[in-house]
Amino acid sequence: MSALICGSMAFDTIMVFSGQFKNEILPDKVHILNVSFLVPKLRREFGGTAGNIAYNLNLLGGDALPMATIGHDFGPYAAWLEQHGVQQQFLKTVPDAYTAQAYITTDLDDNQITAFHPGAMSFAHTQSIVKKTDKGPVKIGTVSPDGRDGMLLHATQFADAGIPFIFDPGQGLPMFTGDELKDFINKASYVAVNDYESEIIMSRTGWTLKQIAERVDALIVTSGGKGSHIFAKSKVHEIPCAAAHSLADPTGCGDAYRAGLLYGLLRGLDWETTGRVASLIGAIKIERPGPQNHTFTMEQFRARFKKEFRYDLL
């Protein structure tokens, strides 16, 4: 059984400014802003929601199928995916576009200035979901941050095909009205958000968490270091935050967590265990910089799971 992961593939170029933005920007001159930052540290990461979730689900041994639109510059990312055994048959190249990419400059106070170019992501709506692959039927899907039209289309296609999916709006939330968010929720089987995103959804829809949870099989709300809550069948499961050995970089932790959810759903695990799998892989991710630089074997993961939660992951 496969998980069809609809979302973005992107390059993240991350630069570190060895000063503070506040010392370089004059508040009374922002109308003629013209600044330049020397950035001695730079790294380029492979990212995007579909890529990150698929990478993590692949580590867990799941059949991850990322579906996204990519640009003519995707070659290095394709080589990375091939190296790590992530399938690419549902990645569609848009020849005249660049792959989506973010340029992020961070100062010593952890403030960020980001420029994002959607590129090929804007053509996500040219992809249609599939119900079956050469390995069997698609058991579950995700609608994660992507082109606006693509997210709307894929939610409808999943619903029409009878394929349960996780609505994972993430940074795509600002693109949708309250009525559109209600429609996503009514079509989805699961909704996964962080605590800030849950507040936005409640504000735009006028629905409480309880009302949202009543419309889906499960509502998952993460709260960073405070753990997460899974609202399912009138019960709230409190999921502890797994201990991390270090706190290197939170980028991609939410995507890792969602891969853990998919793993549990594909295997039919209970919510207590599914949430703990998601929590642990999020902790493993935060120990390394970038969204796809961590690795483990399932033997190592099960050993750490037992040590952390005091029971076996079967």
Side-chain angles (χ1 to χ4, degrees), residues 19 26 35 51 60 80 84 104 114 142 178 200 207 215 282 288-289 309:
L26 302 175
V35 295
L60 290 167
W80 170 264
H84 291 86
I104 305 164
T114 300
T142 71
I200 295 177
W207 289 344
R215 289 169 165 81
R288 296 293 303 273
F309 301 116

Side-chain angles (χ1 to χ4, degrees), residues 28 84-85 91 110 137 145 148 187 192 194 202 240 245 290:
D28 59 339
H84 291 86
L91 302 183
D110 286 332
R148 170 186 157 81
K187 289 174 178 173
N194 63 31
M202 287 191 289
H245 298 158

Side-chain angles (χ1 to χ4, degrees), residues 178-200:
D179 286 341
E180 288 169 332
L181 291 173
K182 287 180 178 180
D183 189 54
F184 274 120
I185 293 166
N186 285 330
K187 289 174 178 173
S189 297
Y190 315 97
V191 174
V193 291
N194 63 31
D195 47 4
Y196 179 76
E197 292 159 359
S198 72
E199 294 290 337
I200 295 177

Side-chain angles (χ1 to χ4, degrees), residues 3-9 49-51 54 64-70 86-92 121 123-131 138 142-147 150-151 153-155 157-158:
L4 188 64
I5 303 163
C6 301
S8 61
M9 306 291 290
T49 53
L65 299 171
M67 190 177 86
T69 41
I70 57 177
V86 179
Q87 301 182 63
Q88 301 181 53
Q89 63 262 48
F90 298 114
L91 302 183
K92 177 183 177 181
M121 192 181 80
F123 296 86
H125 60 281
T126 65
Q127 290 263 65
S128 295
I129 68 163
V130 296
K131 297 174 64 175
V138 171
T142 71
V143 174
S144 296
D146 206 352
M151 292 179 71
L153 175 64
H154 297 148
Q157 291 177 336
F158 275 127

